[in-house]
Amino acid sequence: MPRIVETNESLEIQDRMLPLKRVILFLLSLIPLLAPYRLLIVPDWHDYLNPHFLFVAFVSFGALVVSGLFIWAAIAGLNSLMRFNKQHNTFTYIADAPVVPIRKYEYPIGSIRTLDIATHDWSDGPPSYSLKIEMEDGQQFTSGSSWSRTVIEEVKERVAFFLAQR
């Protein structure tokens, strides 16, 4: 969920994945590894060409994929920062993750074309929402997402009000 930090000179929308969350995701990735251990290693298979072993191997492969997804979420979850600075008249977007190099974009505030709400539809469950900023050159930046559209609408209103005060 985005966090807003506002001063007289700047407004920041921060979305950080806490290190504790990364550690928890990594620890959760260890749980599915029990399946391959208990199904492949403990039984000490001697005959690999039978339907039982193929089924166990398929289940174990699925458990490895789930573990990989948890590990990927832990190491590739993005941190993002949007900063609107009145003093320097700039909009700055910074994104990084442990396995992703820091990406930094800086534009004049006047080059912001639109402030909008992006809807992210999911195959199962409700949609999530984020603030989307489109620049005059077509580049788009999105904030961290929230399950509540109301929260993102409030963020959008605060940014619009802050920019109107320049």
Side-chain angles (χ1 to χ4, degrees), residues 46-110:
H46 296 290
D47 181 22
Y48 299 114
L49 294 177
N50 66 59
H52 300 291
F53 178 79
L54 295 177
F55 176 74
V56 166
F58 181 73
V59 169
S60 297
F61 178 74
L64 291 173
V65 169
V66 170
S67 286
L69 291 173
F70 274 110
I71 291 171
W72 184 250
I75 63 174
L78 282 180
N79 298 317
S80 68
L81 170 74
M82 291 181 170
R83 180 182 299 130
F84 303 88
N85 190 317
K86 284 187 208 175
Q87 184 178 15
H88 296 101
N89 196 35
T90 58
F91 163 72
T92 306
Y93 178 82
I94 302 170
D96 71 325
V99 296
V100 176
I102 294 175
R103 292 174 290 168
K104 182 177 180 180
Y105 303 90
E106 193 166 283
Y107 289 89
I109 286 181

Side-chain angles (χ1 to χ4, degrees), residues 17-165:
M17 181 181 271
L18 300 174
L20 178 63
K21 188 175 184 180
R22 291 184 193 279
V23 169
I24 289 171
L25 284 170
F26 179 76
L27 292 175
L28 286 173
S29 75
L30 300 177
I31 294 170
L33 294 178
L34 288 172
Y37 174 74
R38 300 279 293 171
L39 296 173
L40 293 176
I41 296 171
V42 170
D44 193 28
W45 292 88
H46 296 290
D47 181 22
Y48 299 114
L49 294 177
N50 66 59
H52 300 291
F53 178 79
L54 295 177
F55 176 74
V56 166
F58 181 73
V59 169
S60 297
F61 178 74
L64 291 173
V65 169
V66 170
S67 286
L69 291 173
F70 274 110
I71 291 171
W72 184 250
I75 63 174
L78 282 180
N79 298 317
S80 68
L81 170 74
M82 291 181 170
R83 180 182 299 130
F84 303 88
N85 190 317
K86 284 187 208 175
Q87 184 178 15
H88 296 101
N89 196 35
T90 58
F91 163 72
T92 306
Y93 178 82
I94 302 170
D96 71 325
V99 296
V100 176
I102 294 175
R103 292 174 290 168
K104 182 177 180 180
Y105 303 90
E106 193 166 283
Y107 289 89
I109 286 181
S111 68
I112 296 174
R113 183 185 302 163
T114 60
L115 293 174
D116 202 4
I117 295 176
T119 303
H120 309 285
D121 291 314
W122 304 101
S123 60
D124 50 347
S128 62
Y129 306 94
S130 60
L131 177 66
K132 180 173 76 172
I133 298 176
E134 185 175 351
M135 309 309 287
E136 287 182 348
D137 67 359
Q139 182 81 334
Q140 295 180 354
F141 303 100
T142 56
S143 69
S145 63
S146 172
W147 297 110
S148 170
R149 184 177 178 91
T150 306
V151 168
I152 299 301
E153 286 174 350
E154 290 171 3
V155 169
K156 179 184 171 191
E157 289 171 12
R158 282 184 73 179
V159 170
F161 181 75
F162 182 83
L163 293 176
Q165 291 180 335

